[in-house]
Amino acid sequence: LIAGNQGTCHYSYGGGGLYLEGGIVRNCVITNNCDGHLLTGSYQRGGGIYVPSKAVVTIENCLVANNWAGASGGGGIYLNSSTADCVIRGCTIVGNRCRGGVAGLQLGAACTVEDTVIWDNWLTSPSANPAADELSTGQVANFRNVCSKGGYGADPITEDPKFVNPAAGDYRVSATSACCAHDCGAFGWDKTAFVDGISLVKIADDDRMASVPMPTSLVVRIDEGAKLALDFSGTNEVHSVRLGTH
């Protein structure tokens, strides 16, 4: 947990929560931080995380929420234009704000962003394009399974992620969210409505099994240690059952 900080060490740059020169940040909550230059400097970027030039970083399964930056943007995360390589995977970037630039994720350099929710980040003076206010595509960006209002990249999700209880800081996506089937967002999804951690993921649409009565195939996710009972007492004939890892 990295919370309630005010970054003042790197005057010419930013980074209220983290000034990340390299390495891996995994399974962290970065919240309620601000760039300490809001009152004293002109840069004011990267309220949650600032990634400087030449950095090689991976940010994975992290919640970056309710951070603040100034006029230069990156309320949640700011990537410098000379960042060498960055991967953001399985994160939730939400509720961050700034006075200018981009409020959620501001990319000045190449970056891979996948399985990530970027939602409800905002500028103090919003533009006519809220999607652009919270996410910039950067110079070269590879987006996959990104939940945002802009619908960027491959397999985009533009529906509301349906956070469990944002007022209480629970930003997991709910079991009815479109993000659930894509494993999108930090810290998994709410499984409290399911017995023994077993849940329906999707009913596959597989043309090779078109002759089999609906559903053609059923895919379930089972938590480690959970128990599964199969009952074949229905009226439809069962042709095959395959158990294995995904």
Side-chain angles (χ1 to χ4, degrees):
L1 173 64
I2 300 169
N5 297 288
Q6 186 180 48
T8 57
C9 295
H10 299 275
Y11 181 82
S12 296
Y13 302 99
L18 282 176
Y19 182 91
L20 189 58
E21 293 184 317
I24 299 173
V25 178
R26 181 179 292 134
N27 302 334
C28 289
V29 175
I30 300 162
T31 185
N32 294 314
N33 303 288
C34 73
D35 175 19
H37 312 134
L38 291 175
L39 299 177
T40 60
S42 60
Y43 288 88
Q44 311 166 1
R45 56 183 66 160
I49 301 174
Y50 180 87
V51 182
S53 62
K54 301 181 181 180
V56 177
V57 302
T58 296
I59 304 169
E60 190 171 70
N61 196 40
C62 289
L63 171 64
V64 183
N66 304 317
N67 300 285
W68 173 275
S72 294
I77 301 175
Y78 187 104
L79 251 66
N80 185 282
S81 60
S82 300
T83 298
D85 185 44
C86 179
V87 175
I88 298 173
R89 179 184 299 116
C91 292
T92 297
I93 303 170
V94 59
N96 302 286
R97 53 210 183 277
C98 58
R99 293 205 301 263
V102 175
L105 173 60
Q106 183 156 335
L107 302 177
C111 183
T112 295
V113 184
E114 55 189 18
D115 306 328
T116 290
V117 178
I118 304 171
W119 203 263
D120 282 345
N121 303 279
W122 46 276
L123 299 179
T124 54
S125 298
S127 74
N129 186 355
D133 286 353
E134 65 178 354
L135 172 61
S136 68
T137 57
Q139 296 175 347
V140 180
N142 177 26
F143 294 102
R144 186 182 68 83
N145 286 346
V146 173
C147 177
S148 72
K149 298 181 179 73
Y152 299 107
D155 299 320
I157 304 165
T158 56
E159 300 175 32
D160 190 315
K162 298 181 181 178
F163 296 124
V164 174
N165 189 353
D170 188 347
Y171 289 105
R172 294 175 300 159
V173 298
S174 68
T176 58
S177 169
C179 297
C180 177
H182 294 264
D183 288 327
C184 192
F187 303 117
W189 47 280
D190 181 24
K191 304 175 184 178
T192 56
F194 297 91
V195 178
D196 278 342
I198 299 173
S199 61
L200 174 68
V201 177
K202 64 180 179 179
I203 296 176
D205 182 11
D206 189 340
D207 291 337
R208 294 171 299 175
M209 301 183 67
S211 62
V212 180
M214 287 296 290
T216 58
S217 63
L218 196 62
V219 180
V220 297
R221 179 187 295 113
I222 306 172
D223 286 352
E224 184 178 355
K227 297 179 181 180
L228 172 64
L230 300 176
D231 183 353
F232 301 119
S233 61
T235 58
N236 289 335
E237 180 182 359
V238 176
H239 293 275
S240 66
V241 175
R242 182 175 66 183
L243 300 177
T245 59
H246 177 66

